[in-house]
């Protein structure tokens, strides 16, 4: 442990904290003095660091240990584990990797290993796993995210890049000074702004929204939940049927067009394909004009409400925010393409405070004015294996070896998968239709997980390698999405025999003769210094001076100063689209994309359209409800679900489900009652909470409860027992958790 005369620090996706330690035990975390709006989430770790859920030694599932790879995969999740030494575990893993490589090739190893793991630039579990596997010939990988796969694939065709414009979202300062109307599809959910990937220094979303409100910006919250925009704003609330935003946007676009409120000059200079889109809007192809009345029927809003909003959007200096949740629904490409089209029709893209933004407060970093810096990371090496899957196709991969899938204009095959390795993610949290996934999960010969707690992933593995948490190792929080760089101090010795992911791979690499290739002769601390020094040199070219390593360690944190003026997304393009073209084939905003049209996909044609979702209120039976399973406010995904902060919100031990009073009365349900939410895919238990602040016909249950199956029912309330597992479209193949119909009955 590092000798230091300052208070210990730690950083996490949900905030930075000071750490109190007594006798090698963490006794408390204290909020970081720079953070005026700290998150309570972090405090959830203290009680569970050494609790009964902690994995203390390498463990192997009984049948696998006795019978070898491929034995009784269907018993995963039900069988006991046997403790082994690290030497035994390393040998078992090395032998199994050699067997799979020799008999089937490296593509038989699936290590897409999606997930958030912990903050820290060096001990990033996925990077460690991938670098190690690249040293032994590679693995089948995954592309894109669960967060916004549909946008990650469609928006580059429309704007040239998605992530580039996510990072350069127009900052809250510019919104306060120049916007007058903020129209938020999917709200501006403060609960989500608690998080920023890779480490949060100070939380800015509440202050950003408040400053805009004080400056006179009016907010429209378009969401099934009133709470998606903080109450203090008193926002106007429109609650269309879930998964119908694309229709609403088309109705708004039609109103602009039919009333001549669109900006023809902007469309002419900065976009291509508007005519193709207007012929669709006018119904030239299908005989259906996409009028406000047409949209009103689909969204179940009043047509006058839609027309009035369109007129106000044209009259005001308007910012459109399109939330990431809108990608996590069937045809999730469409609301993003439609929102960009709508913003282009308003002609305010690239001007201060207006235009379009992707998901304000989906994380703390959206709208946070910061320099764009390119820090070094732990190099993953090169993967010689070309095979990949779109990340949310994991069940299909396991079910359907040799089967084919479409993705972004090409067709690919699912490789035969023999070994699955997860480090730093929890598929029993993030994937849809978990009961189906669990059946497919029985198929591979071997499943290995690096985990620190006995969650469903660990329980459903064959070999469990116990890893440390950030409080048991040193690292640096150094995310380009946050201005604070924080020394993450080792606070206590590793619990039990837990090892850092890096150390775990060092052990297996030694067993396989690739230790030196994996480490390049550097220790963990030497790697961290290397990351710091390379980053320091890189950012100095942008005029940013970072302290040297020793001064940084002495002070514990450093804040990069913000840019001199607010960030304005697409400012350069607006100033001169010939000099600063977009990265699209035309260099312009592609309202119609020839490229996508040529892919010939029925479920994603060449411009924004409305397509009926797989499941939505428009096709619901009389007793079906639309289930929104959104992000939890008391934790990040499944992390720390077992800790006191999360448990305090769940007095009866099961997750809460929020329902409108009319829907509760129709089912004779009352507050506090335990119910069964169910459909043909499965069920979960939940405790009823009744509120007027949710659209009738919709229920809301947060994700994050640890999957605890009793047959097809999750006893703890994991909504992914219910969600459908299907791609958004042949273009992006993103997940569609938010398009889900269920029934609710008393348990
Ligand atoms: N129904 C529904 N499902 C959803 C969503 C939704 O809106 N609705 N949202 C989706 C989205 S956007 C996302 S991003 C995913 C999130 O899904 P995940 O990112 O997979 O969820 P986490 O719970 O963060 O999983 C991280 C895991 O890493 C482990 N871990 C933490 N630190 C370390 C470490 O240092 N080393 C190792 N080896 N492990 C570590 C944690 O214990 C935890 O099990 O969920 C998706 N699933
Ligand atoms: N506290 C906390 N914060 C988090 C996370 C967490 O787990 N916990 N996860 C982080 C991650 S990985 C991500 S990707 C982001 C995700 O950020 P988001 O995608 O914004 O997250 P959600 O909470 O799924 O959705 C936000 C809101 O969208 C609304 N919504 C759902 N469907 C529809 C729809 O069809 N139309 C409209 N108009 N609104 C709809 C829901 O009411 C929901 O509350 O959050 C991040 N922030
Ligand atoms: Mo996400």
């Amino acid at each position: 442990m590092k000798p230091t005369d300052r208070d210990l620090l730690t950083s996490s996706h949900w905030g930075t904290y000071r750490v109190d330690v007594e006798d090698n035990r963490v006794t408390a975390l204290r909020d970081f003095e720079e953070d005026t709006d700290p998150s309570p989430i972090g405090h959830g770790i203290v009680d569970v660091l050494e609790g009964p859920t902690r994995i203390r030694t390498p463990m192997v599932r009984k049948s696998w240990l006795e019978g070898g790879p491929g034995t009784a995969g269907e018993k995963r999740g039900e069988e006991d584990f046997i403790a082994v030494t690290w030497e035994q575990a390393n040998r078992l893993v090395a032998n199994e990797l050699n067997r799979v490589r020799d008999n089937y090739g490296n593509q038989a190893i699936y290590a897409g290993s999606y997930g958030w793991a912990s903050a820290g630039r060096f001990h990033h579990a996925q990077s460690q796993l991938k670098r190690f596997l690249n040293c032994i010939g590679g693995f089948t990988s995954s592309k894109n995210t669960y967060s916004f796969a549909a946008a990650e694939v469609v928006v580059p065709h429309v704007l040239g890049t998605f992530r580039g414009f996510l990072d350069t979202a127009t900052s809250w300062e510019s919104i306060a000074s120049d916007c007058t109307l903020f129209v938020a599809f999917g709200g501006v959910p403060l609960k989500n702004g608690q998080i920023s990937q890779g480490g949060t220094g100070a939380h800015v979303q509440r202050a950003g929204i408040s400053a805009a409100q004080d400056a006179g910006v009016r907010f429209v919250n378009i969401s099934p939940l009133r709470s998606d925009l903080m109450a203090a704003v008193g926002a106007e609330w429109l609650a269309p049927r879930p998964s119908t935003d694309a229709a609403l946007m088309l109705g708004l676009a039609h109103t602009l067009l039919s009333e001549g409120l669109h900006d023809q000059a902007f469309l002419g200079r900065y976009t291509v394909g508007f005519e193709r889109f207007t012929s669709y809007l006018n119904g030239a192809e299908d005989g259906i004009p996409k009028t406000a009345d047409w949209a009103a029927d689909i969204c179940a809003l009043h047509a006058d409400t839609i027309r009035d909003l369109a007129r106000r959007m044209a009259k005001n200096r308007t910012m459109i925010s399109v939330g990431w949740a809108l990608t996590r629904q069937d045809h999730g490409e469409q609301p993003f393409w439609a929102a960009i089209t709508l913003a282009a029709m308003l002609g305010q893209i690239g001007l201060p405070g207006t235009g379009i933004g992707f998901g304000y407060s989906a994380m703390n970093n959206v709208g946070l004015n910061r320099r764009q810096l390119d820090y070094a990371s732990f190099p993953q090496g090169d993967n010689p294996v070309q095979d990949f899957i779109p990340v949310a196709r994991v069940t299909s991969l396991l079910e359907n070896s040799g089967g084919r899938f479409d993705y972004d204009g090409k067709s690919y095959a699912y490789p035969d998968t023999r070994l699955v390795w997860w480090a730093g993610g929890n598929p029993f949290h993030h994937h849809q239709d978990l009961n189906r996934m669990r059946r497919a999960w029985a198929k591979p010969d071997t499943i290995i997980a690096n985990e620190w707690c006995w969650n469903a992933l660990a329980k459903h593995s064959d070999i469990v390698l116990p890893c440390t948490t950030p409080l048991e190792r040193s690292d640096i929080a150094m995310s380009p999405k946050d201005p604070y760089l924080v020394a993450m101090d080792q606070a206590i010795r590793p619990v039990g025999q837990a090892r850092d992911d890096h150390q775990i791979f060092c052990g297996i690499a030694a067993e396989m003769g690739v230790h030196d290739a994996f480490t390049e002769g550097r220790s963990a601390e030497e790697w961290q210094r290397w990351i710091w020094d390379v980053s320091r040199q890189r950012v100095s070219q942008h005029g940013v001076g970072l302290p040297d390593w020793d001064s940084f360690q002495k002070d514990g944190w450093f804040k990069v100063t913000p840019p001199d003026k607010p960030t304005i997304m697409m400012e350069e393009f607006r100033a001169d689209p010939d000099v600063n073209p977009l990265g699209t084939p035309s260099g312009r905003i592609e309202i119609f994309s020839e490229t996508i049209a040529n892919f010939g996909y029925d479920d994603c044609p060449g411009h924004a359209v409305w397509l009926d979702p797989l499941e939505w209120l428009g096709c619901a039976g009389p007793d079906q409800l639309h289930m929104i399973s959104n992000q939890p406010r008391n934790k990040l995904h499944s992390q720390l679900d077992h800790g006191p902060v999360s448990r305090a919100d769940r007095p009866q031990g099961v997750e809460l489900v929020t329902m409108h009073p009319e829907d509760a009365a129709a089912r004779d349900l009352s507050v506090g009652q335990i119910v069964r939410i169910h459909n043909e895919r499965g069920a979960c238990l939940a405790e009823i909470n009744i509120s007027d602040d949710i659209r009738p016909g919709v229920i809301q249950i947060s994700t994050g409860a640890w999957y605890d199956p009793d047959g097809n029912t999750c006893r703890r309330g994991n909504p992914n027992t219910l969600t459908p597992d299907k791609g958004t479209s042949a273009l992006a193949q993103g997940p569609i958790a938010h398009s889900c119909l269920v029934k609710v009955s008393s348990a």
Side-chain angles (χ1 to χ4, degrees):
M1 261 168 274
K2 213 174 320 172
T4 171
D5 45 16
R6 58 170 172 77
D7 285 351
L8 297 174
L9 273 163
T10 195
S11 176
S12 62
H13 304 304
W14 40 88
T16 297
Y17 305 86
R18 299 273 173 190
V19 188
D20 291 340
V21 178
E22 278 170 36
D23 298 333
N24 195 46
R25 299 199 72 141
V26 174
T27 53
L29 300 189
R30 280 175 285 127
D31 297 333
F32 184 39
E33 59 275 14
E34 290 279 301
D35 193 351
T36 53
D37 187 19
S39 165
I41 292 176
H43 302 285
I45 197 167
V46 177
D47 288 21
V48 289
L49 262 181
E50 300 183 52
T53 47
R54 188 65 200 250
I55 308 170
R56 290 165 183 270
T57 56
M59 299 290 255
V60 182
R61 184 170 66 88
K62 193 163 176 287
S63 306
W64 195 101
L65 189 62
E66 290 166 2
T71 308
E74 71 287 353
K75 287 195 187 160
R76 290 187 180 117
E78 285 160 15
E79 228 181 331
D80 289 343
F81 285 83
I82 312 244
V84 296
T85 64
W86 275 110
E87 290 65 34
Q88 287 170 305
N90 290 343
R91 211 167 314 123
L92 287 173
V93 172
N95 289 345
E96 176 56 358
L97 285 168
N98 285 329
R99 184 190 74 89
V100 171
R101 284 194 304 172
D102 292 348
N103 293 331
Y104 307 100
N106 279 72
Q107 79 289 345
I109 303 169
Y110 177 64
S113 186
Y114 179 80
W116 269 63
S118 292
R121 200 79 180 155
F122 173 69
H123 289 291
H124 179 242
Q126 269 195 43
S127 303
Q128 297 286 346
L129 170 64
K130 291 176 181 177
R131 179 182 169 91
F132 164 69
L133 288 176
N134 286 337
C135 291
I136 61 156
F139 59 94
T140 292
S141 59
S142 64
K143 282 200 202 296
N144 306 132
T145 61
Y146 279 72
S147 310
F148 38 48
E152 280 176 285
V153 184
V154 78
V155 177
H157 289 288
V158 181
L159 296 181
T161 162
F162 171 63
R163 288 189 179 256
F165 292 133
L166 191 59
D167 283 336
T168 55
T170 298
S171 58
W172 279 114
E173 293 80 356
S174 178
I175 291 169
S177 62
D178 285 277
C179 173
T180 56
L181 182 67
F182 191 107
V183 180
F185 294 90
V188 189
L190 254 195
K191 67 175 176 62
N192 295 358
Q194 292 175 93
I195 304 295
S196 185
Q197 196 159 28
T200 299
H203 291 85
V204 304
Q205 294 296 325
R206 190 190 304 273
I209 300 168
S210 301
Q213 184 196 11
D214 293 346
V217 178
R218 272 162 308 127
F219 286 83
V220 183
N221 174 28
I222 302 180
S223 163
L225 301 181
R226 192 195 288 274
S227 61
D228 279 334
L229 228 157
M230 66 185 202
V233 169
E236 182 181 339
W237 180 36
L238 299 182
R241 284 170 167 165
S243 296
T244 66
D245 298 78
L248 174 56
M249 292 167 187
L250 293 170
L252 293 165
H254 189 278
T255 306
L256 295 179
L257 181 70
S258 62
E259 300 189 4
L261 298 174
H262 57 300
D263 186 336
Q264 201 55 259
F266 181 90
L267 290 163
R269 183 156 154 79
Y270 297 98
T271 75
V272 295
F274 185 57
E275 304 68 33
R276 295 292 290 270
F277 176 69
T278 53
S279 83
Y280 168 76
L281 264 191
N282 287 326
E285 292 156 33
D286 55 6
I288 305 170
K290 313 301 175 300
T291 61
D293 292 281
W294 166 87
D297 278 350
I298 294 171
C299 308
L301 292 175
H302 291 296
D304 285 340
T305 307
I306 299 176
R307 278 189 282 267
D308 172 62
L309 179 60
R311 290 172 195 142
R312 282 190 287 147
M313 287 171 86
K315 211 158 60 189
N316 275 279
R317 294 198 301 271
T318 301
M319 171 60 84
I320 296 173
S321 175
V322 47
W324 302 352
L326 275 61
T327 64
R328 261 174 276 122
Q329 54 179 250
D330 200 14
H331 312 305
E333 295 82 4
Q334 301 310 321
F336 270 65
W337 206 344
I340 294 165
T341 305
L342 191 58
M345 290 176 75
L346 294 174
Q348 299 174 347
I349 290 174
L351 298 180
T354 61
I356 187 155
F358 302 131
Y360 283 92
S361 200
M363 285 189 201
N364 187 50
N365 53 63
V366 183
L368 191 173
N369 198 29
R370 62 180 189 276
R371 288 173 197 272
Q372 301 300 321
L373 298 173
D374 176 23
Y375 298 129
S377 48
F378 182 54
Q380 294 185 8
D382 294 319
N383 185 356
V385 174
Q386 301 297 311
D387 296 80
F388 74 94
I389 57 165
V391 69
R393 299 271 48 81
V394 59
T395 296
S396 308
L397 165 76
L398 301 179
E399 281 173 345
N400 195 12
S401 132
R404 299 200 69 80
F405 63 93
D406 291 315
Y407 173 76
D408 201 16
K410 294 206 177 99
S411 163
Y412 304 89
Y414 292 118
D416 182 20
T417 302
R418 296 284 155 172
L419 188 152
V420 173
W421 199 330
W422 235 283
N426 181 1
F428 287 88
H429 165 77
H430 62 237
H431 196 58
Q432 282 57 67
D433 199 349
L434 286 179
N435 296 314
R436 176 176 157 201
M437 185 183 91
R438 192 161 168 239
R439 291 189 291 275
W441 196 256
K443 292 178 74 175
D445 297 341
T446 299
I447 295 178
I448 309 176
N450 298 15
E451 255 301 345
W452 67 276
C453 49
W454 280 114
N455 57 15
L457 169 69
K459 288 185 179 167
H460 285 81
S461 301
D462 299 321
I463 303 178
V464 182
L465 304 174
C467 67
T468 53
T469 70
L471 292 165
E472 300 150 60
R473 62 199 186 210
S474 301
D475 207 339
I476 35 179
M478 188 177 215
S479 161
K481 297 181 187 302
D482 196 275
Y484 286 87
L485 309 180
V486 179
M488 297 170 66
D489 300 312
Q490 181 179 1
I492 57 170
R493 288 187 296 275
V495 173
Q497 295 175 39
R499 290 184 173 177
D500 308 337
D501 292 287
H502 181 73
Q503 208 189 344
I504 292 175
F505 293 116
C506 283
I508 303 165
E511 193 71 35
M512 297 183 76
V514 293
H515 182 270
D516 293 349
F518 179 65
T519 64
E520 288 178 43
R522 290 191 185 95
S523 68
E525 197 196 325
E526 284 164 348
W527 271 114
Q528 288 163 35
R529 284 186 92 122
W530 179 89
I531 291 170
W532 183 266
D533 291 341
V534 174
S535 301
R536 188 166 173 241
Q537 203 188 343
R538 269 195 210 166
V539 304
S540 71
Q541 287 156 11
H542 300 277
V544 174
L546 300 188
D548 63 37
W549 175 255
D550 291 333
S551 318
F552 171 65
Q553 289 297 332
K554 183 164 167 290
D555 296 340
W557 60 274
F558 179 80
K559 185 182 180 189
V560 178
T561 49
D564 301 335
K565 56 186 189 55
T567 304
I568 299 168
M569 175 177 149
M570 296 175 79
E571 191 178 25
E572 288 90 13
F573 171 66
R574 174 88 194 204
D576 192 333
D578 296 322
V579 175
N580 309 303
L582 299 181
T584 54
S586 61
R588 300 292 193 264
I589 298 171
E590 302 224 340
I591 292 178
F592 177 84
S593 161
E594 202 73 53
T595 311
I596 294 182
N598 287 339
F599 294 160
Y601 297 142
D602 292 343
D603 54 5
C604 191
H607 53 75
V609 294
W610 163 252
L611 298 164
D612 279 2
L614 180 72
E615 293 182 18
W616 65 302
L617 288 173
C619 70
D623 55 349
Q624 282 184 308
L625 298 161
H626 191 120
M627 182 183 79
I628 295 297
S629 51
N630 58 353
Q631 313 288 15
R633 66 176 177 82
N634 53 15
K635 56 185 166 281
L636 173 71
H637 315 135
S638 70
Q639 298 199 42
L640 305 181
D641 180 49
H642 53 320
V645 175
S646 175
R647 285 204 318 264
D649 286 338
R650 199 202 288 141
Q652 301 195 60
V654 295
E655 199 56 50
L656 259 59
V657 59
T658 298
M659 185 181 254
H660 192 272
E662 285 170 18
D663 294 320
R667 288 164 185 76
D668 213 12
L669 301 172
S670 47
V671 177
Q673 196 175 337
I674 304 295
V675 292
R676 216 170 144 257
I677 313 177
H678 53 103
N679 62 18
E680 69 279 12
R681 291 176 287 268
C684 72
L685 301 183
E687 176 187 333
I688 287 278
N689 170 45
I690 296 182
S691 166
D692 282 321
D693 290 341
I694 186 164
R695 186 193 196 287
V698 178
I699 59 166
Q700 177 273 336
I701 176 167
S702 301
T703 58
W706 281 10
Y707 178 61
D708 180 15
D710 173 9
N712 278 343
T713 301
C714 174
R715 288 176 275 227
R716 205 147 160 179
N718 185 321
N720 276 327
T721 49
L722 297 149
T723 50
D725 177 3
K726 170 195 165 290
T728 49
S729 78
L731 185 86
Q733 299 285 9
I736 65 162
H738 282 317
S739 297
C740 179
L741 292 177
V742 296
K743 295 182 183 177
V744 178
S745 340
S746 51

